[in-house]
Amino acid sequence: MRIGIIGSGNIGGTLTRRFRELGHDVTVANSRGPGSLAGLAAETGATPGTAEEAANAGDLVVVAVPLRAVPQLPANALAGKLVIDTDNYYPQRDGRVAAIEEGTTSSRWTARHLPGAVVVKAFNNIRAEHLLADGRPPGGATRIALPVAGDDPAAKRTVMALVDDLGFDPVDAGGLDDSWRQEPETPVYGTDRDADGVRAGLAEATR
């Protein structure tokens, strides 16, 4: 698969490494420009590029930037693409976003900034070091599960298959309006539960 990754921090850099290990063709971008990605490119074989180049290069594009940077994403290039939203809303970092404060999920807010993109929420509730090192073969008793939320069933299946390929059990977490159940301060956030535990945690979540 051709995958674009916008953001090279903890999650973006980790997914660059993991997807390259699986043999995917990865173009990665960050806010500092392609020159700053020489080390990651040399390590992984990923192609460094601009955000627009990463968006154009990918059949699927991962967004792994601070939420405050979402309005600066290349929305035209992302139209028609499957976009994996890995972001979380942290008011102390991102500033207060009125729509999110009033109950809109951060992924719904992101989707509104990317008209024409098909947005799926995933990889936002796991620590980067666990995403890097803790994938396990299917059927293992210690396999971590990850929730996946989205409105498009086919897009969600694609992302769930990638989660499985990376060594984690994918759990259907509903639509984008349900994705608050996997956001910070919920039972599944950062807790490395198995599939049954994730399903229970999603059901237990309260606002």
Side-chain angles (χ1 to χ4, degrees), residues 1 17-18 46 53 69 71 74-75 77 80 88 92 108-109 138 142 144 146 149 155 186:
M1 185 180 290
R17 293 176 176 91
R18 294 298 321 277
E53 287 169 342
N88 288 304
Q92 67 275 21
R108 178 66 68 195
W109 182 85
T142 60
I144 295 170
L146 300 180
T186 63

mmCIF file of all heavy atoms in Angstrom, residues 1 17-18 46 53 69 71 74-75 77 80 88 92 108-109 138 142 144 146 149 155 186:
data_model
loop_
_atom_site.group_PDB
_atom_site.id
_atom_site.type_symbol
_atom_site.label_atom_id
_atom_site.label_comp_id
_atom_site.label_asym_id
_atom_site.label_seq_id
_atom_site.Cartn_x
_atom_site.Cartn_y
_atom_site.Cartn_z
ATOM 1 N N MET A 1 0.839 -1.190 0.000
ATOM 2 C CA MET A 1 0.000 0.000 0.000
ATOM 3 C C MET A 1 0.878 1.247 0.000
ATOM 4 O O MET A 1 1.966 1.255 0.590
ATOM 5 C CB MET A 1 -0.907 -0.012 1.245
ATOM 6 C CG MET A 1 -1.917 1.125 1.296
ATOM 7 S SD MET A 1 -2.970 1.052 2.787
ATOM 8 C CE MET A 1 -3.944 -0.387 2.408
ATOM 9 N N ARG A 17 8.092 3.770 10.826
ATOM 10 C CA ARG A 17 8.949 2.599 11.037
ATOM 11 C C ARG A 17 8.165 1.293 10.871
ATOM 12 O O ARG A 17 8.607 0.360 10.192
ATOM 13 C CB ARG A 17 9.587 2.668 12.426
ATOM 14 C CG ARG A 17 10.573 3.818 12.580
ATOM 15 C CD ARG A 17 11.127 3.927 14.001
ATOM 16 N NE ARG A 17 12.134 4.964 14.077
ATOM 17 C CZ ARG A 17 11.882 6.240 14.390
ATOM 18 N NH1 ARG A 17 10.628 6.622 14.689
ATOM 19 N NH2 ARG A 17 12.855 7.125 14.414
ATOM 20 N N ARG A 18 7.000 1.225 11.496
ATOM 21 C CA ARG A 18 6.238 -0.027 11.479
ATOM 22 C C ARG A 18 5.695 -0.346 10.080
ATOM 23 O O ARG A 18 5.746 -1.495 9.628
ATOM 24 C CB ARG A 18 5.082 0.031 12.484
ATOM 25 C CG ARG A 18 5.490 0.096 13.957
ATOM 26 C CD ARG A 18 6.277 -1.135 14.433
ATOM 27 N NE ARG A 18 5.830 -2.390 13.901
ATOM 28 C CZ ARG A 18 4.804 -3.107 14.404
ATOM 29 N NH1 ARG A 18 4.150 -2.678 15.473
ATOM 30 N NH2 ARG A 18 4.446 -4.245 13.857
ATOM 31 N N ALA A 46 11.840 5.327 4.043
ATOM 32 C CA ALA A 46 10.692 6.158 3.677
ATOM 33 C C ALA A 46 11.157 7.342 2.834
ATOM 34 O O ALA A 46 12.318 7.753 2.892
ATOM 35 C CB ALA A 46 9.979 6.652 4.932
ATOM 36 N N GLU A 53 2.880 16.601 -0.621
ATOM 37 C CA GLU A 53 3.433 15.436 -1.309
ATOM 38 C C GLU A 53 3.040 14.141 -0.607
ATOM 39 O O GLU A 53 2.732 13.142 -1.269
ATOM 40 C CB GLU A 53 4.951 15.567 -1.394
ATOM 41 C CG GLU A 53 5.401 16.613 -2.400
ATOM 42 C CD GLU A 53 6.882 16.930 -2.303
ATOM 43 O OE1 GLU A 53 7.507 16.626 -1.265
ATOM 44 O OE2 GLU A 53 7.410 17.506 -3.285
ATOM 45 N N ALA A 69 -2.773 22.109 14.511
ATOM 46 C CA ALA A 69 -2.229 22.200 13.155
ATOM 47 C C ALA A 69 -3.177 21.671 12.095
ATOM 48 O O ALA A 69 -2.904 21.805 10.901
ATOM 49 C CB ALA A 69 -0.900 21.453 13.081
ATOM 50 N N PRO A 71 -6.060 22.726 10.876
ATOM 51 C CA PRO A 71 -6.527 23.667 9.846
ATOM 52 C C PRO A 71 -5.495 23.988 8.777
ATOM 53 O O PRO A 71 -5.853 24.494 7.709
ATOM 54 C CB PRO A 71 -6.891 24.913 10.667
ATOM 55 C CG PRO A 71 -7.234 24.394 12.020
ATOM 56 C CD PRO A 71 -6.262 23.279 12.230
ATOM 57 N N PRO A 74 -3.220 20.101 4.059
ATOM 58 C CA PRO A 74 -3.594 20.321 2.655
ATOM 59 C C PRO A 74 -4.923 19.652 2.317
ATOM 60 O O PRO A 74 -4.972 18.548 1.750
ATOM 61 C CB PRO A 74 -2.425 19.711 1.885
ATOM 62 C CG PRO A 74 -1.905 18.623 2.774
ATOM 63 C CD PRO A 74 -2.097 19.150 4.184
ATOM 64 N N ALA A 75 -6.010 20.310 2.667
ATOM 65 C CA ALA A 75 -7.339 19.699 2.554
ATOM 66 C C ALA A 75 -7.658 19.290 1.119
ATOM 67 O O ALA A 75 -8.274 18.232 0.899
ATOM 68 C CB ALA A 75 -8.400 20.666 3.079
ATOM 69 N N ALA A 77 -5.627 18.251 -1.231
ATOM 70 C CA ALA A 77 -4.902 17.033 -1.578
ATOM 71 C C ALA A 77 -5.457 15.816 -0.844
ATOM 72 O O ALA A 77 -5.321 14.690 -1.314
ATOM 73 C CB ALA A 77 -3.415 17.207 -1.263
ATOM 74 N N GLY A 80 -10.963 12.853 -0.968
ATOM 75 C CA GLY A 80 -11.059 11.558 -1.602
ATOM 76 C C GLY A 80 -10.155 10.501 -1.002
ATOM 77 O O GLY A 80 -10.209 9.333 -1.412
ATOM 78 N N ASN A 88 -5.202 13.678 19.397
ATOM 79 C CA ASN A 88 -5.973 13.898 20.614
ATOM 80 C C ASN A 88 -6.030 15.387 20.900
ATOM 81 O O ASN A 88 -5.107 16.137 20.549
ATOM 82 C CB ASN A 88 -5.341 13.172 21.804
ATOM 83 C CG ASN A 88 -5.507 11.667 21.733
ATOM 84 O OD1 ASN A 88 -6.617 11.163 21.626
ATOM 85 N ND2 ASN A 88 -4.400 10.942 21.774
ATOM 86 N N GLN A 92 -4.429 22.363 26.853
ATOM 87 C CA GLN A 92 -3.240 23.059 27.330
ATOM 88 C C GLN A 92 -2.190 23.204 26.238
ATOM 89 O O GLN A 92 -1.348 24.102 26.305
ATOM 90 C CB GLN A 92 -2.652 22.343 28.554
ATOM 91 C CG GLN A 92 -2.080 20.959 28.293
ATOM 92 C CD GLN A 92 -3.118 19.851 28.349
ATOM 93 O OE1 GLN A 92 -4.311 20.097 28.203
ATOM 94 N NE2 GLN A 92 -2.658 18.621 28.576
ATOM 95 N N ARG A 108 -14.462 14.326 14.547
ATOM 96 C CA ARG A 108 -15.502 14.987 13.755
ATOM 97 C C ARG A 108 -15.060 16.392 13.386
ATOM 98 O O ARG A 108 -15.257 16.852 12.260
ATOM 99 C CB ARG A 108 -16.810 15.019 14.542
ATOM 100 C CG ARG A 108 -17.951 15.723 13.827
ATOM 101 C CD ARG A 108 -18.386 14.976 12.578
ATOM 102 N NE ARG A 108 -19.016 13.699 12.922
ATOM 103 C CZ ARG A 108 -19.224 12.725 12.040
ATOM 104 N NH1 ARG A 108 -18.839 12.870 10.779
ATOM 105 N NH2 ARG A 108 -19.789 11.597 12.409
ATOM 106 N N TRP A 109 -14.438 17.083 14.333
ATOM 107 C CA TRP A 109 -13.911 18.430 14.080
ATOM 108 C C TRP A 109 -12.851 18.379 12.980
ATOM 109 O O TRP A 109 -12.839 19.204 12.064
ATOM 110 C CB TRP A 109 -13.341 18.991 15.378
ATOM 111 C CG TRP A 109 -12.803 20.377 15.297
ATOM 112 C CD1 TRP A 109 -13.497 21.553 15.421
ATOM 113 C CD2 TRP A 109 -11.430 20.760 15.099
ATOM 114 N NE1 TRP A 109 -12.646 22.626 15.306
ATOM 115 C CE2 TRP A 109 -11.379 22.170 15.112
ATOM 116 C CE3 TRP A 109 -10.250 20.030 14.926
ATOM 117 C CZ2 TRP A 109 -10.180 22.873 14.947
ATOM 118 C CZ3 TRP A 109 -9.064 20.725 14.757
ATOM 119 C CH2 TRP A 109 -9.031 22.119 14.777
ATOM 120 N N PRO A 138 -1.480 -12.951 15.866
ATOM 121 C CA PRO A 138 -2.888 -13.179 16.211
ATOM 122 C C PRO A 138 -3.046 -14.346 17.170
ATOM 123 O O PRO A 138 -2.302 -15.327 17.116
ATOM 124 C CB PRO A 138 -3.531 -13.497 14.857
ATOM 125 C CG PRO A 138 -2.631 -12.892 13.845
ATOM 126 C CD PRO A 138 -1.245 -13.002 14.417
ATOM 127 N N THR A 142 -1.593 -12.111 25.191
ATOM 128 C CA THR A 142 -1.200 -10.774 25.631
ATOM 129 C C THR A 142 -1.349 -9.734 24.532
ATOM 130 O O THR A 142 -0.777 -8.661 24.619
ATOM 131 C CB THR A 142 0.262 -10.783 26.118
ATOM 132 O OG1 THR A 142 1.115 -11.198 25.033
ATOM 133 C CG2 THR A 142 0.429 -11.720 27.297
ATOM 134 N N ILE A 144 -2.502 -6.706 22.599
ATOM 135 C CA ILE A 144 -3.187 -5.451 22.898
ATOM 136 C C ILE A 144 -4.218 -5.190 21.806
ATOM 137 O O ILE A 144 -3.986 -5.465 20.630
ATOM 138 C CB ILE A 144 -2.172 -4.297 22.971
ATOM 139 C CG1 ILE A 144 -1.214 -4.508 24.147
ATOM 140 C CG2 ILE A 144 -2.881 -2.947 23.102
ATOM 141 C CD1 ILE A 144 -0.030 -3.549 24.138
ATOM 142 N N LEU A 146 -6.818 -2.312 19.892
ATOM 143 C CA LEU A 146 -6.935 -0.883 19.605
ATOM 144 C C LEU A 146 -8.317 -0.578 19.024
ATOM 145 O O LEU A 146 -8.762 -1.260 18.089
ATOM 146 C CB LEU A 146 -5.868 -0.441 18.605
ATOM 147 C CG LEU A 146 -4.408 -0.642 19.022
ATOM 148 C CD1 LEU A 146 -3.480 -0.144 17.924
ATOM 149 C CD2 LEU A 146 -4.126 0.069 20.334
ATOM 150 N N ALA A 149 -12.623 3.873 15.054
ATOM 151 C CA ALA A 149 -13.935 4.501 14.884
ATOM 152 C C ALA A 149 -14.011 5.209 13.538
ATOM 153 O O ALA A 149 -13.054 5.868 13.119
ATOM 154 C CB ALA A 149 -14.196 5.503 16.013
ATOM 155 N N ALA A 155 -13.837 1.779 4.790
ATOM 156 C CA ALA A 155 -12.621 2.451 5.259
ATOM 157 C C ALA A 155 -12.211 1.912 6.623
ATOM 158 O O ALA A 155 -11.023 1.683 6.891
ATOM 159 C CB ALA A 155 -12.852 3.953 5.324
ATOM 160 N N THR A 186 -10.423 8.436 29.239
ATOM 161 C CA THR A 186 -11.414 7.360 29.168
ATOM 162 C C THR A 186 -10.737 6.045 29.573
ATOM 163 O O THR A 186 -9.511 5.951 29.612
ATOM 164 C CB THR A 186 -11.994 7.224 27.749
ATOM 165 O OG1 THR A 186 -10.936 6.870 26.837
ATOM 166 C CG2 THR A 186 -12.651 8.519 27.299
#
